[in-house]
Amino acid sequence: MNDPTNSAVSNSIIEFNHVNWKYADTRFPAIKDMNFKVNRGEFIGIIGVNDSGKSTLCRLCNGLIPHSFTGELSGNVQIEGEDIKNIQTAQLAEKSGLVFADPEAQLSQMTVLDELAFGPANLGLPKEEIIETVNKVLCLMDLDSMRDRSPYSLSGGEQQRVAIASVLAMNPGILVLDEPTSNLDPAGTKKIFQTIKGLNRDTGITVLLVEHEVELLAEYASRIIVLDHGHILLDGTPREVFSNIETFHQIGIHIPQVTQVSENIKNNYGLWKEEPDPLTLSEMITLLNL
Amino acid sequence: MDAMTLYKPGNSFFHRCDSRIKLFILAVISVLSFLFYNPIIPMVLFVVTLSLNLVSTGSYTVKNFMFKMILVMMVFLIILHGFVNPGGKTPALFFGHELRIPYFGAYTIEGFYLALVFWFRMSTVILAAMLYITTTSPSEMMSGLQKLGVPFKFCFMLSMSLQLIPVSTREASVIASAQRARGLPEKTVADKFKGLLPMFVPLVVSSLDRMETLSMALESRAFGYSSHPTDLSEIRIRKADRAILTGGIVLLVLCIIIRIRYGQLNWVNTVKSWGDVWFPKAGGAKII
């Protein structure tokens, strides 16, 4: 396991210190004594059952909590070294962008181009700068061909790419995605994962991705955090996290199917005892070829 | 889903006009058509606006539902006013015969005159509004309004509601299909009304849900950070726009002077036959 306290202070972009949060209309806190640090450039997958605090975590990373929700917050959340209590959501938008599950509900403009320009225009940036950024993001997200179309006329996967692009146009250091693929088909999901990974690799943007697709997380994420009832249950590289098969069974989350298969083979046939569990299909194939 | 508004993309003279100028044209035409009380001037304006529509968007406006409504309204108004308008005195002659129905009396020539005035006025305003809507893209419309001093948040609300209409319609049809699949009775009209309630609740709930996501998404994109966000639109007043503006003002002032000097140019009291409707009676005509 990664000990979060070990990571270099200067490198951490998000920092949770003993954070507790309870919504005004619920009985139990959504986040309980949460401590962790995120380093610049990490690709973090967050998994957990419903009501485990995943969406709350996303809102905390964006300042929507505590500024737009009522409830009790204790402890402190620091984004790029600044306490979220002291900065407004609009200012935090330049540091951390949030993408939601429903692609259509987060779009608001008449054309893809306007959609991308919406955020930077709200900040009051000069026109030339906005146009330059928007053109860059359009190319980066492979949306150049649909710049003048209405976002509502696009497919779900394309809409989600527009939503991600519209957040990227604000040039944030952190990209937080709250189940961005839950309304998409498998091809759209895969494309979104590849896009996010590409961004993470090429621009060094820090990614926090809440997902149910453990197979894809195992393949793309550099670190996995498992939440349960507002706690961090497991935190580490995909290999470290997915080796705790028992814990996953207890909280009722799937582990990658190949990992499950190889675990069963190990237990029932005594094969590959000293091999690490494969996480992805390609690792499994390599293992089978041995 | 691309055709969410009545906007018809194109590159006609009116498409290139500043959206504020188009709004000004709409205002001028509306004022002019209500300035005088005779069928001729509104009719001329009607023909002018109709041709402007035809020039800028082809047959688009004419094929539109609104235009058909105008025609239906025409038939309705002309029949109704002829019989019931209290100003009606002189019975009209249809090939030498009066047309009477019980309780309402005869079809009067004054009623016909007033119906024409009313209809030309209404349809001119509708067509002028169509000219504005069909040739102005929604984002131009918004930035035009913004430049006229309408607050950004109000413009945003307006454009947002324009976009949410088709989204909600689609959602409603999904909910209706789901209810139908579970055997919602739809045989009688009463059934259909009852069916609205189970549709209404999920529709409201899902809209509220969508609004919550949207407000969070907007907030995380700095919505409301500045009350004057950068305006990216290219709208600029050109020479032609200035000419239209000047021409419009001159025309408006001229007509208002005529209105004050000569009155409404109303000759309803002198109409005695079909022909009198179109021209004030020569000689003894008294123009009020």
Side-chain angles (χ1 to χ4, degrees):
Chain A
M1 296 284 116
N2 274 352
D3 186 357
T5 49
N6 277 351
S7 31
V9 178
S10 60
N11 233 356
S12 72
I13 188 162
I14 303 176
E15 215 176 311
F16 277 57
N17 289 317
H18 302 287
V19 177
N20 288 282
W21 168 262
K22 191 179 91 60
Y23 288 102
D25 54 355
T26 54
R27 281 180 65 192
F28 301 105
I31 297 275
K32 288 176 235 161
D33 195 36
M34 190 173 279
N35 288 295
F36 73 97
K37 279 179 186 174
V38 176
N39 294 330
R40 213 171 277 278
E42 275 190 299
F43 187 139
I44 301 185
I46 297 170
I47 41 185
V49 290
N50 288 340
D51 289 333
S52 56
K54 298 173 306 216
S55 293
T56 311
L57 182 70
C58 292
R59 290 169 190 166
L60 275 164
C61 290
N62 193 251
L64 283 169
I65 291 177
H67 297 299
S68 302
F69 284 84
T70 48
E72 296 154 28
L73 178 69
S74 65
N76 75 69
V77 181
Q78 295 199 334
I79 307 287
E80 292 187 351
E82 284 187 81
D83 195 326
I84 53 163
K85 279 182 221 162
N86 305 331
I87 343 174
Q88 282 303 313
T89 317
Q91 283 163 295
L92 265 168
E94 289 175 278
K95 300 179 190 294
S96 154
L98 184 51
V99 177
F100 299 85
D102 185 352
E104 208 174 64
Q106 42 190 323
L107 302 171
S108 59
Q109 301 297 300
M110 300 281 178
T111 64
V112 170
L113 197 73
D114 287 344
E115 193 66 57
L116 263 63
F118 181 73
N122 279 334
L123 291 173
L125 300 177
K127 192 169 161 181
E128 295 70 34
E129 196 183 321
I130 295 177
I131 291 169
E132 198 190 315
T133 320
V134 166
N135 283 333
K136 209 173 75 189
V137 175
L138 278 173
C139 292
L140 195 66
M141 295 298 287
D142 195 15
L143 290 168
D144 212 24
S145 56
M146 41 192 103
R147 56 195 296 156
D148 291 321
R149 286 177 63 189
S150 158
Y152 292 89
S153 67
L154 305 177
S155 75
E158 287 164 345
Q159 282 181 340
Q160 197 59 284
R161 264 161 51 219
V162 173
I164 295 174
S166 69
V167 163
L168 286 178
M170 313 221 21
N171 208 5
I174 307 161
L175 182 61
V176 187
L177 304 106
D178 191 357
E179 301 188 24
T181 65
S182 60
N183 290 5
L184 306 185
D185 58 11
T189 303
K190 184 98 183 170
K191 174 101 184 164
I192 292 289
F193 265 88
Q194 284 165 348
T195 311
I196 298 170
K197 184 68 192 175
L199 283 172
N200 174 252
R201 189 185 53 227
D202 301 337
T203 66
I205 193 169
T206 311
V207 177
L208 263 79
L209 175 60
V210 172
E211 257 302 332
H212 291 295
E213 294 279 344
V214 281
E215 266 87 12
L216 289 169
L217 279 183
E219 191 178 338
Y220 289 101
S222 63
R223 178 177 160 196
I224 303 270
I225 292 177
V226 182
L227 295 183
D228 184 44
H229 292 99
H231 290 292
I232 293 182
L233 204 61
L234 299 167
D235 181 356
T237 62
R239 193 167 300 288
E240 286 168 342
V241 167
F242 289 121
S243 61
N244 297 282
I245 295 169
E246 272 309 303
T247 320
F248 276 93
H249 283 316
Q250 275 164 20
I251 60 171
I253 299 176
H254 295 292
I255 57 168
Q257 284 173 341
V258 284
T259 317
Q260 185 68 58
V261 169
S262 93
E263 186 65 19
N264 286 357
I265 292 174
K266 270 188 194 173
N267 293 341
N268 297 338
Y269 301 97
L271 291 170
W272 312 331
K273 278 284 182 199
E274 55 288 345
E275 299 290 334
D277 279 327
L279 295 175
T280 61
L281 199 58
S282 59
E283 283 180 29
M284 185 69 169
I285 290 166
T286 322
L287 190 66
L288 287 173
N289 282 344
L290 275 177
Chain B
M1 287 294 291
D2 259 324
M4 279 180 305
T5 59
L6 291 171
Y7 174 56
K8 176 116 168 62
N11 195 28
S12 71
F13 176 76
F14 276 93
H15 282 91
R16 281 175 278 129
C17 260
D18 187 294
S19 70
R20 287 166 289 177
I21 295 296
K22 279 183 267 191
L23 212 53
F24 172 74
I25 296 175
L26 167 62
V28 169
I29 292 179
S30 308
V31 170
L32 289 186
S33 64
F34 277 85
L35 217 49
F36 301 105
Y37 210 93
N38 64 53
I40 300 298
I41 291 169
M43 186 180 73
V44 169
L45 287 167
F46 174 78
V47 172
V48 169
T49 29
L50 185 62
S51 11
L52 288 181
N53 266 302
L54 289 174
V55 166
S56 52
T57 54
S59 58
Y60 179 72
T61 310
V62 185
K63 283 183 186 153
N64 196 275
F65 174 73
M66 281 300 278
F67 192 75
K68 286 170 192 153
M69 283 307 291
I70 292 177
L71 296 180
V72 171
M73 194 170 80
M74 171 169 202
V75 176
F76 187 71
L77 275 178
I78 286 183
I79 295 177
L80 201 71
H81 270 269
F83 285 110
V84 304
N85 196 297
K89 292 180 192 78
T90 325
L93 293 176
F94 294 89
F95 304 107
H97 298 283
E98 283 178 18
L99 189 64
R100 282 182 183 276
I101 52 171
Y103 301 109
F104 290 103
Y107 188 91
T108 60
I109 204 89
E110 284 91 350
F112 177 67
Y113 175 100
L114 296 170
L116 279 183
V117 173
F118 191 64
W119 180 76
F120 278 129
R121 281 177 171 181
M122 293 305 290
S123 37
T124 305
V125 173
I126 292 175
L127 281 180
M130 284 294 281
L131 182 66
Y132 174 61
I133 293 170
T134 53
T135 59
T136 318
S137 83
S139 52
E140 259 175 66
M141 217 182 267
M142 291 311 133
S143 68
L145 287 176
Q146 231 170 294
K147 283 192 175 148
L148 284 173
V150 179
F152 172 67
K153 282 191 179 169
F154 183 81
C155 292
F156 182 79
M157 205 169 71
L158 202 67
S159 81
M160 207 55 238
S161 40
L162 275 179
Q163 292 182 71
L164 286 176
I165 294 166
V167 174
S168 302
T169 318
R170 197 180 45 195
E171 212 151 272
S173 84
V174 169
I175 295 168
S177 312
Q179 308 276 22
R180 251 176 242 139
R182 285 185 282 155
L184 186 81
E186 272 189 311
K187 286 213 179 83
T188 64
V189 178
D191 281 344
K192 285 196 174 160
F193 274 106
K194 274 185 211 158
L196 284 178
L197 188 69
M199 202 174 101
F200 184 68
V201 176
L203 190 60
V204 169
V205 171
S206 73
S207 309
L208 289 177
D209 228 31
R210 177 189 294 281
M211 284 308 108
E212 197 193 6
T213 309
L214 180 66
S215 66
M216 285 198 289
L218 291 180
E219 212 158 334
S220 43
R221 281 196 281 149
F223 182 67
Y225 180 78
S226 143
S227 54
H228 295 286
T230 315
D231 190 5
L232 290 169
S233 60
E234 299 282 344
I235 64 168
R236 215 167 270 126
I237 303 260
R238 303 167 304 152
K239 262 186 193 158
D241 293 326
R242 277 210 192 88
I244 292 179
L245 189 67
T246 325
I249 290 173
V250 168
L251 190 64
L252 202 58
V253 169
L254 205 67
C255 288
I256 289 173
I257 291 172
I258 295 176
R259 172 77 162 78
I260 293 169
R261 184 81 178 76
Y262 301 99
Q264 286 185 318
L265 302 185
N266 181 357
W267 59 81
V268 67
N269 290 339
T270 65
V271 288
K272 293 285 170 267
S273 67
W274 294 109
D276 296 344
V277 170
W278 306 102
F279 303 101
K281 241 184 195 167
K286 188 182 157 223
I287 296 171
I288 322 167

